[in-house]
């Protein structure tokens, strides 16, 4: 598979833009990514802005609504959440939402799902935020239901947390078997085990190649235990490089990267950082996401497209 890039949109803060024009800026960035050769535009599934990106009071649009609107403003990029929290929506409803996005976009939806983590917005909005063990159990059940609703005519399921009974999902997804499922997170006790069972794709943070190679081995072990070829799970990650145009930008850019990840992220112009991304390609990673909290303009997104061309994407 050729390497591909995704533009992730966690940031809706445009100080010079009134709310009525906010989505126009989102469209501008999404179209710039499409023109630069990106294959994915993704959004967060959060109701408040998260730490590391901005202040909790910063603007935040509801992710699935943004994706539905972007489906009519783009033509080639895949669209999805990186990733939806399992606690926010009934999984049957989520399967219907992902199917609807697939229909609206002509077969370009992906469904990213994880166990959720942001307790602040759960408390504020009145969502239950159970302990992590239960959230993982919910994730496993939810993915079972979602897969069934993508693939079967009238599936039923009865679990500890969720149930469906002869659930209809009409119209069917455009993509055979439904949108590809991305499981977000690299937890080695439960998340990777769930990914081995359900995922078409994983998405991890840049923790250094050695750490990610270890996670790859853990994932492969879980796949072996259930008789699945680990090569059938595409491994993607937040990019281990940041593209800049000048030395003066480097410090400002690094301040936008969480401190714990800075040792594992190379910063510089495309021709300088290309060799820092190649080891990840050699290790089998195929997709790399770049955040609009760093790449704010069409011009900066286009520069990332130069890196994509350098690596043969």
């Amino acid at each position: 598979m050729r390497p591909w890039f995704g533009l992730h949109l966690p940031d809706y803060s445009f100080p010079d833009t009134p709310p009525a024009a906010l989505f126009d800026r989102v469209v501008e960035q999404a179209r710039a990514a499409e023109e630069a050769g990106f294959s994915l535009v993704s959004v967060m599934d959060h109701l408040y802005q998260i730490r590391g990106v901005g202040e909790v009071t910063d603007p935040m649009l509801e992710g699935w609504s943004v994706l539905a609107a972007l489906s009519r403003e783009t033509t080639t990029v895949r669209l999805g959440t990186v990733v939806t929290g399992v606690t926010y929506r009934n999984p049957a409803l989520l399967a219907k939402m992902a199917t609807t996005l697939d229909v609206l976009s002509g077969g370009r939806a992906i469904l990213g799902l994880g166990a959720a983590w942001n307790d602040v917005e759960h408390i504020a909005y009145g969502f239950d935020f159970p302990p992590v063990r239960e959230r993982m159990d919910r994730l496993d059940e939810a993915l079972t239901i979602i897969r069934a609703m993508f693939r079967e005519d009238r599936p039923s399921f009865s679990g500890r947390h969720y149930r469906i009974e002869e659930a209809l999902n009409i119209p069917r997804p455009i993509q055979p078997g439904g949108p590809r499922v991305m499981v977000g997170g690299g937890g080695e006790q439960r998340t990777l085990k769930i990914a081995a069972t359900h995922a078409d794709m994983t998405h991890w943070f840049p923790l250094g190649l050695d750490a990610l190679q270890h996670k790859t081995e853990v994932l492969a072990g879980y796949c072996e235990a259930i008789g699945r070829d680990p090569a059938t799970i595409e491994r993607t990650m937040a990019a281990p490089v940041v593209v800049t145009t000048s030395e003066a930008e480097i410090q400002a850019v690094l301040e936008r990267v969480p401190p714990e990840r800075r040792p594992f992220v190379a910063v510089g112009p495309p021709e300088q950082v290309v060799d820092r991304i190649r080891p990840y390609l050699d290790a089998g990673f195929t997709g790399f996401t770049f955040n609009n909290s760093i790449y704010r303009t069409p011009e900066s997104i286009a520069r990332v497209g130069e890196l994509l061309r350098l690596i043969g994407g």
Side-chain angles (χ1 to χ4, degrees):
M1 179 180 290
R2 294 178 65 185
W4 55 266
F5 284 177
L7 180 66
H8 186 49
L9 307 175
D11 193 349
Y12 299 109
S13 295
F14 303 101
D16 59 337
T17 303
L22 181 58
F23 183 66
D24 293 335
R25 297 295 297 272
V26 175
V27 171
E28 178 185 62
Q29 293 182 337
R31 288 178 175 170
E34 204 164 51
E35 291 171 6
F38 285 51
S39 297
L40 171 69
V41 170
S42 60
V43 299
M44 294 197 301
D45 189 29
H46 284 291
L47 307 170
Y48 284 1
Q49 185 54 274
I50 64 170
R51 57 183 179 268
V53 177
E55 299 297 326
V56 70
T57 52
D58 285 350
M60 179 55 57
L61 298 177
E62 194 282 317
W64 284 92
S65 302
V66 171
L67 294 175
L70 283 176
S71 73
R72 313 306 293 177
E73 300 285 350
T74 57
T75 57
T76 61
V77 288
R78 293 175 293 172
L79 300 166
T81 54
V82 179
V83 292
T84 282
V86 71
T87 49
Y88 296 131
R89 296 171 186 83
N90 171 281
L93 173 62
L94 184 58
K96 172 63 78 173
M97 293 168 64
T99 298
T100 298
L101 179 63
D102 207 47
V103 171
L104 294 177
S105 65
R108 293 185 285 130
I110 69 168
L111 173 59
L113 197 62
W117 61 270
N118 194 359
D119 56 338
V120 173
E121 59 195 7
H122 284 77
I123 293 168
Y125 276 71
F127 291 121
D128 290 341
F129 188 66
V132 64
R133 180 189 297 271
E134 180 179 326
R135 300 201 310 274
M136 289 294 177
D137 291 342
R138 287 178 178 270
L139 179 60
D140 193 15
E141 288 189 13
L143 287 167
T144 300
I145 288 172
I146 289 165
R147 284 295 203 187
M149 290 187 64
F150 284 166
R151 296 172 175 175
E152 301 174 24
D153 289 336
R154 301 194 68 153
S156 297
F157 173 85
S158 181
R160 181 176 181 182
H161 304 288
Y162 303 116
R163 67 183 185 278
I164 55 173
E165 185 170 348
E166 297 187 357
L168 288 169
N169 188 22
I170 299 173
R172 308 298 295 156
I174 301 297
Q175 299 175 73
R180 300 186 76 198
V181 170
M182 171 189 284
V183 172
E188 296 176 12
Q189 297 300 314
R190 291 294 305 278
T191 305
L192 295 183
K193 185 175 183 179
I194 291 169
T197 302
H198 298 289
D200 299 302
M201 312 165 72
T202 59
H203 192 267
W204 300 336
F205 291 123
L207 305 173
L209 188 56
D210 290 345
L212 296 186
Q213 288 281 48
H214 174 69
K215 291 185 184 298
T216 297
E217 293 168 1
V218 173
L219 177 64
Y222 285 130
C223 286
E224 182 180 359
I226 61 174
R228 182 177 182 182
D229 181 356
T232 62
I233 302 176
E234 184 178 7
R235 284 172 292 137
T236 74
M237 61 180 294
V241 299
V242 177
V243 177
T244 63
T245 58
S246 69
E247 290 292 326
E249 283 187 297
I250 291 178
Q251 189 56 43
V253 165
L254 280 175
E255 290 177 359
R256 306 287 298 187
V257 177
E260 67 274 13
R261 298 179 204 160
R262 290 175 193 168
F264 309 112
V265 175
V267 183
E271 61 274 12
Q272 289 185 13
V273 300
V274 61
D275 289 337
R276 294 291 296 272
I277 204 169
R278 292 195 193 280
Y280 293 88
L281 296 170
D282 295 341
F285 288 87
T286 50
F288 303 87
T289 57
F290 295 78
N291 285 7
N292 79 329
S293 55
I294 294 174
Y295 308 100
R296 306 291 291 163
T297 65
E299 292 76 18
S300 63
I301 294 167
R303 287 195 294 271
V304 182
E306 294 175 17
L307 175 62
L308 179 62
R309 287 185 284 275
L310 286 173
I311 65 172

